[in-house]
Amino acid sequence: MELTTDILRLATIGSVDDGKSTLIGRLLVDTRQLFDDQLDAVVNASERRGVGDLDLSFVTDGLRAEREQGITIDVAYRYASTPQRKFIIADCPGHVQYTRNMATGASTADLALVVVDVAHGLKEQTRRHLCIAALLGVRGLVVAVNKMDAVHWSSAAFQGVVDEVETVAGELGFDAITCVPTSALLGDNVVDASDHTPWYTGPTVLEALESSDAGAWTNATNGPRLPIQWVLRQPGGGRTYAGMVNGDTLHEGDAVTLLPAGIETTITALNTLHNGADVRAGAGLSIDVALADETDAGRGDMLACAPLPRVTREIAATVCWFGERPLVTGSRLRLKHTTRVTPARIVALDGVVDVATLSVETADELRTNDIGLVQLQTADPLVVDDYRDNRVTGSFVLIDEVTNATVAAGMVGRAAFL
Amino acid sequence: MTLTPLRPQTTTDHLSLLESHAVYILREVAAECERPVLLFSGGKDSAVLLHLAVKAFAPGRLPFPVMHVDTGQNFPEVLAFRDQTVANLGARLVIASVQEAIDRGRVADPGPHGARNRLQTVALLDAIVEHGFDAAFGGARRDEDKARAKERILSFRDAFGQWDPRQQRPELWQLYQGRVNAGEHLRAFPLSDWTELDIWQYIERENVALPPIYFAHEREVIRRDAMWLAVNEFIQPRSGEHVERRLVRYRTVGDATCTGAVESDAVSVEAIVREVATANVSERGATRADDRFSETAMEDRKREGYF
Ligand SMILES: Nc1nc2c(ncn2[C@@H]2O[C@H](COP(=O)(O)OP(=O)(O)O)[C@@H](O)[C@H]2O)c(=O)[nH]1
Ligand SMILES: [Mg+2]
């Protein structure tokens, strides 16, 4: 891989009150990421609200309503770093009505930090989150089997949850799973190894995060793609095409196809922001390129190397529906895919996913927070890969034509487990 | 409580990723919105933002104007820097003036020594309406404050300029969608995922020019609210306070009546990077009186339409 990064993006997932925010607070406090004044503010807020000396969930639950109600409403982003790597942490809400916010946090995550209350095991909401994380292409899980203090550090209770998690994670096709018995409240096995769990010899949560393989965003099995964002006019009359690379690394001299037009040409020059003229650029870098041939390429078009993406007006996709009104066959929406926005219509609803059993049931509508399989038709052709091959060219959002709200996350194709 | 922070090792790669992401956001919003504007205060974050915007569209000109929400209570060095930077770029500068808002009777005059930070919201929203802007780029970062930590990269504002933290649009992958109806607008924050240290490392790598007050210098200051405040036309010693000369620098630059300095001998960017990497107090905690009014000061201001 050309562009290695030491940034790990992770999202907390799991049911409400299982301890996600407390765990992140604990992780940040015990690795000394908080400034003194930030820690003092959390201590003061805890005292003022009568929730003890230090409510660690207040580290991320920063909104007034969140602190009043003791819940997480929307994602909080926190930044941390240890000598091993940098972390971008998305602490997501657990409530079902905030699933859209959880999906927001998980959509850019390399890894999910799952928190499960050991006394309750996997709740439906945890299964829903695992299902969404799997759909979104998260490959690795670190599972904090939490509140071990409340079950007297029972290894049998821990093992019971581990068995449950492994069964579900196996069905959903996660690659790597590490389960850790924790008490976020007391700090056991979060940053420091616990004395209460002599039967556990695995890593702490921090060690698991530091050693996990990031890779989700860069795990591309298809050629380089450059969706064109903007055309830059060069002095002397030429043009270069700007965008962010995804998929494999793009090189100067690569033979590329301009899509959807299907025009074959060559990259004659490639500029990165840092180096100017360069010979290659990997996924996640914003660049601009010059082409050998005159074309009318513009925003919404894509440059791609073989194996090429498909050009199509008809897409079979998996969607997470966040709209307030149900999604039905015939619904008209706007669709944004890479840098192209086009009108779209739902032509068929192939079913809704039962998150408990992962079976697909027939349905005539998708309700808020349902996951469903749909067939879409678009006014303009789209240049797509399957989501499982490419998280950028395989993803889209649906937009309400009247309110402009983002009402669905869409993934081209169907996950292997459905 | 003082803890020794375990802050980042110096790496270079992550800066390229942050830079690329910010440029991607700038280009998306410029392409999707009709009339964007870039908020430029002359502070370090907005200097980095402007630098990124220039890179995003080079060799072309900036495809949008820059706007300064001017409280009328500025550090003269910062105003000079603002004017010089804008002139060098040949960019169009729009000034949203709090003084004008006061003169027109839009807001009550808080008096010669009153903080005008909150009044910026009125001047900003008035200018957005007057110029028909549908998107405003800001240099806010999520690591600055707990309310900012919750905000989307593209943050929707209703027809009254309000932010509703309970009703944020889902923001999936990097599919930033900037559609708004007439009268509504967006705030776009390309530096969302940058930390203070990232900003300084990037300033070092790219040689981004800054106003001189960011670097250690001697200044007449007084101690107030556990901050060093510069003595100037807006801040005069009250009884019991005495004026001292100290070696200080600014970690943030805002309204001259409520922005404090920190003691520092860091005269170069390199020295500041070292200082920031081991700081024990956050930049807003160290230097902003306006965040200390209440637990949710920033959230409350943001709900009303603040940056
Ligand atoms: N006994 C015990 N309680 C915990 C632990 N972790 C979190 N809690 C409590 O569980 C409740 C919910 O925690 P919170 O972090 O807000 O959960 P979230 O909804 O998943 O973010 C709070 O009252 C916490 O103090 C733990 O390890 N042990
Ligand atoms: Mg929470």
Side-chain angles (χ1 to χ4, degrees):
Chain A
M1 211 161 51
E2 304 291 337
L3 184 85
T4 49
T5 156
D6 61 344
I7 300 183
L8 180 79
R9 299 190 69 117
L10 66 105
T12 60
I13 65 173
S15 188
V16 58
D17 276 351
D18 283 6
K20 295 178 294 300
S21 297
T22 306
L23 181 68
I24 295 307
R26 170 62 65 190
L27 200 60
L28 293 170
V29 169
D30 286 5
T31 52
R32 300 169 180 185
Q33 305 290 331
L34 290 196
F35 291 110
D36 293 351
D37 55 307
Q38 294 173 326
L39 192 57
D40 289 347
V42 171
V43 170
N44 290 339
S46 306
E47 283 169 359
R48 189 148 5 102
R49 293 182 193 274
V51 288
D53 302 339
L54 176 62
D55 186 333
L56 289 166
S57 68
F58 284 7
V59 173
T60 54
D61 289 343
L63 297 174
R64 182 196 297 276
E66 291 179 325
R67 291 181 171 189
E68 279 167 7
Q69 297 168 33
I71 59 165
T72 306
I73 292 171
D74 211 329
V75 190
Y77 292 90
R78 281 283 179 173
Y79 305 84
S81 48
T82 68
Q84 267 61 44
R85 57 169 38 145
K86 277 173 78 89
F87 297 96
I88 298 181
I89 301 167
D91 182 32
C92 297
H95 282 89
V96 68
Q97 72 263 39
Y98 302 130
T99 302
R100 61 182 191 277
N101 298 336
M102 171 271 169
T104 292
S107 69
T108 53
D110 305 309
L111 178 134
L113 177 54
V114 191
V115 181
V116 184
D117 182 338
V118 64
H120 294 117
L122 286 196
K123 296 179 205 149
E124 168 164 339
Q125 187 59 1
T126 315
R127 290 172 189 269
R128 179 187 305 276
H129 278 190
L130 283 168
C131 180
I132 293 171
L135 286 173
L136 288 170
V138 174
R139 311 281 1 127
L141 300 180
V142 172
V143 185
V145 180
N146 194 36
K147 307 199 185 184
M148 288 297 297
D149 54 294
V151 295
H152 309 290
W153 314 99
S154 154
S155 69
F158 171 66
Q159 198 54 48
V161 176
V162 171
D163 292 345
E164 239 186 324
V165 168
E166 283 183 345
T167 306
V168 174
E171 284 165 12
L172 290 167
F174 287 101
D175 291 340
I177 310 165
T178 309
C179 295
V180 187
T182 62
S183 171
L185 192 65
L186 305 176
D188 295 72
N189 291 328
V190 178
V191 172
D192 301 316
S194 171
D195 293 336
H196 295 110
T197 53
W199 42 267
Y200 176 75
T201 53
T204 62
V205 170
L206 178 65
E207 285 164 351
L209 295 177
E210 285 182 331
S211 62
S212 79
D213 182 13
W217 274 101
T218 47
N219 180 19
T221 56
N222 52 13
R225 279 97 176 81
L226 184 71
I228 297 173
Q229 277 189 290
W230 193 270
V231 180
L232 296 167
R233 284 157 208 259
Q234 300 297 325
R239 285 172 161 69
T240 62
Y241 303 94
M244 183 184 276
V245 182
N246 68 77
D248 283 344
T249 300
L250 187 67
H251 297 83
E252 185 193 6
D254 275 350
V256 290
T257 305
L258 175 67
L259 296 166
I263 298 164
E264 292 177 13
T265 180
T266 306
I267 306 271
T268 52
L270 182 159
N271 304 306
T272 57
L273 294 167
H274 186 42
N275 297 334
D278 212 329
V279 291
R280 62 168 170 269
L285 286 189
S286 285
I287 63 167
D288 62 285
V289 297
L291 301 176
D293 302 279
E294 279 277 323
T295 67
D296 65 346
R299 181 174 168 82
D301 295 335
M302 194 186 302
L303 294 165
C305 299
L308 291 180
R310 306 194 289 285
V311 175
T312 178
R313 283 193 170 84
E314 269 146 34
I315 300 174
T318 310
V319 297
C320 300
W321 179 250
F322 307 128
E324 275 164 23
R325 283 179 297 124
L327 181 75
V328 293
T329 302
S331 293
R332 259 187 65 103
L333 297 138
R334 220 178 283 278
L335 181 152
K336 181 167 184 183
H337 170 261
T338 63
T339 57
R340 178 168 288 219
V341 180
T342 175
R345 188 168 39 225
I346 306 292
V347 291
L349 195 58
D350 293 342
V352 59
V353 177
D354 179 336
V355 293
T357 61
L358 299 181
S359 62
V360 178
E361 316 287 340
T362 54
D364 44 22
E365 60 176 32
L366 292 185
R367 274 174 274 160
T368 318
N369 300 320
D370 276 350
I371 299 163
L373 301 175
V374 300
Q375 313 269 350
L376 284 151
Q377 216 169 52
T378 57
D380 300 319
L382 297 180
V383 183
V384 303
D385 288 293
D386 271 355
Y387 187 78
R388 75 179 81 168
D389 296 326
N390 188 316
R391 275 173 101 170
V392 180
T393 53
S395 59
F396 60 87
V397 291
L398 297 175
I399 302 162
D400 187 290
E401 288 191 311
V402 178
T403 65
N404 295 315
T406 303
V407 285
M411 288 144 282
V412 177
R414 187 169 174 159
F417 59 83
L418 289 180
Chain B
M1 186 171 337
T2 299
L3 300 161
T4 314
L6 264 179
R7 264 175 237 292
Q9 306 293 299
T10 312
T11 57
T12 46
D13 254 18
H14 75 279
L15 288 181
S16 293
L17 289 174
L18 288 171
E19 175 185 56
S20 284
H21 185 209
V23 164
Y24 180 82
I25 296 160
L26 284 154
R27 287 173 176 160
E28 274 311 276
V29 174
E32 289 214 340
C33 294
E34 300 279 323
R35 304 191 69 144
V37 65
L38 185 146
L39 300 172
F40 180 64
S41 66
K44 67 181 190 317
D45 298 318
S46 65
V48 165
L49 183 62
L50 185 56
H51 179 88
L52 289 162
V54 169
K55 282 186 108 169
F57 303 102
R61 283 168 51 112
L62 265 194
F64 37 74
V66 300
M67 177 156 79
H68 182 214
V69 181
D70 181 355
T71 63
Q73 298 174 335
N74 300 289
F75 294 94
E77 300 93 326
V78 178
L79 276 194
F81 170 78
R82 174 196 80 183
D83 293 338
Q84 188 62 53
T85 307
V86 170
N88 289 349
L89 288 176
R92 186 160 78 85
L93 175 67
V94 176
I95 294 176
S97 162
V98 171
Q99 187 60 51
E100 253 176 51
I102 293 170
D103 296 345
R104 278 185 292 143
R106 291 280 290 119
V107 289
D109 189 344
H113 304 303
R116 295 181 165 191
N117 214 4
R118 207 159 177 152
L119 308 184
Q120 290 182 92
T121 302
V122 177
L124 170 65
L125 294 178
D126 281 358
I128 284 173
V129 171
E130 182 189 333
H131 296 273
F133 295 130
D134 56 354
F137 292 106
R141 311 187 322 266
R142 285 170 173 158
D143 80 330
E144 281 179 85
D145 175 88
K146 58 192 181 307
R148 288 201 162 148
K150 293 270 163 183
E151 195 166 12
R152 298 282 188 262
I153 289 174
L154 256 59
S155 183
F156 176 79
R157 300 301 155 107
D158 68 14
F160 298 92
Q162 299 182 103
W163 178 56
D164 183 354
R166 301 193 77 125
Q167 291 297 332
Q168 299 197 85
R169 286 181 178 175
E171 185 166 80
L172 293 131
W173 301 287
Q174 293 187 11
L175 284 168
Y176 302 111
Q177 73 98 357
R179 297 189 87 85
V180 292
N181 289 322
E184 302 165 345
H185 73 278
L186 291 174
R187 302 291 170 81
F189 301 113
L191 305 180
S192 287
D193 284 338
W194 297 49
T195 63
E196 184 187 14
L197 185 58
D198 296 328
I199 293 285
W200 281 105
Q201 288 177 330
Y202 188 73
I203 288 167
E204 186 178 25
R205 188 177 94 169
E206 298 278 309
N207 266 315
V208 180
L210 292 180
I213 67 171
Y214 278 107
F215 302 93
H217 56 282
E218 276 206 5
R219 193 177 274 263
E220 297 208 317
V221 291
I222 52 164
R223 192 78 182 154
R224 186 184 294 170
D225 301 334
M227 291 190 299
W228 293 109
L229 292 180
V231 177
N232 53 31
E233 58 176 302
F234 315 111
I235 296 176
Q236 292 295 321
R238 298 173 186 155
S239 72
E241 293 174 340
H242 59 277
V243 178
E244 305 171 50
R245 269 194 96 71
R246 296 239 169 200
L247 195 58
V248 295
R249 69 174 202 87
Y250 284 85
R251 263 175 94 183
T252 68
V253 168
D255 188 278
T257 63
C258 68
T259 305
V262 294
E263 280 190 277
S264 167
D265 58 4
V267 292
S268 65
V269 175
E270 205 189 341
I272 293 174
V273 168
R274 276 198 306 274
E275 187 185 281
V276 170
T278 54
N280 285 322
V281 179
S282 76
E283 63 178 43
R284 294 197 83 88
T287 63
R288 288 298 181 90
D290 48 336
D291 288 344
R292 299 183 175 183
F293 297 138
S294 79
E295 179 186 342
T296 52
M298 177 65 87
E299 178 183 342
D300 297 341
R301 273 180 288 144
K302 285 188 83 66
R303 281 171 176 276
E304 292 168 3
Y306 189 71
F307 305 122

